[in-house]
Amino acid sequence: AQDRIWMIQQLEPQVQVYSLEGKLLKSWGKGHFNMPHFLRIDPAGHVWIADFRRHIIQNFDEDGKLLLVLGTPDVAGNDHAH
């Protein structure tokens, strides 16, 4: 909605936001991820990121404030509690 390019990578800072001209607008994520591999922005502008090694999905505002964690960090989810 804001004509921005969102990128996720495994090196810190993992989340980077660029203008359409390629200018880095903001970056964040240090300490939140081990192996992030999926980023999606919902209609409300919240950023959802799945982390393969931590076995969680995290929800952030566009500035990197953590809003929600789905799953138990660093615990695989193949038992009755997950």
Side-chain angles (χ1 to χ4, degrees):
Q2 298 175 344
D3 288 333
R4 295 184 178 166
I5 300 166
W6 288 76
M7 185 182 90
I8 191 161
Q9 63 178 3
Q10 292 184 19
L11 301 174
E12 292 181 346
Q14 288 93 341
V15 180
Q16 298 175 1
V17 184
Y18 293 89
S19 70
L20 292 179
E21 294 77 32
K23 178 183 175 189
L24 179 64
L25 301 173
K26 63 178 124 182
S27 61
W28 48 267
K30 185 175 181 180
H32 283 285
F33 309 106
N34 188 317
M35 187 182 276
H37 66 97
F38 180 83
L39 180 147
R40 181 171 178 110
I41 301 169
D42 69 20
H46 296 143
V47 182
W48 295 86
I49 299 175
D51 191 311
F52 178 75
R53 285 203 179 129
R54 296 206 65 207
H55 306 286
I56 56 174
I57 298 171
Q58 298 175 86
N59 180 239
F60 299 88
D61 71 10
E62 67 177 43
D63 294 317
K65 178 182 174 191
L66 182 62
L67 304 173
L68 175 71
V69 176
L70 299 175
T72 305
D74 306 313
V75 177
N78 40 337
D79 61 28
H80 71 281
H82 296 92

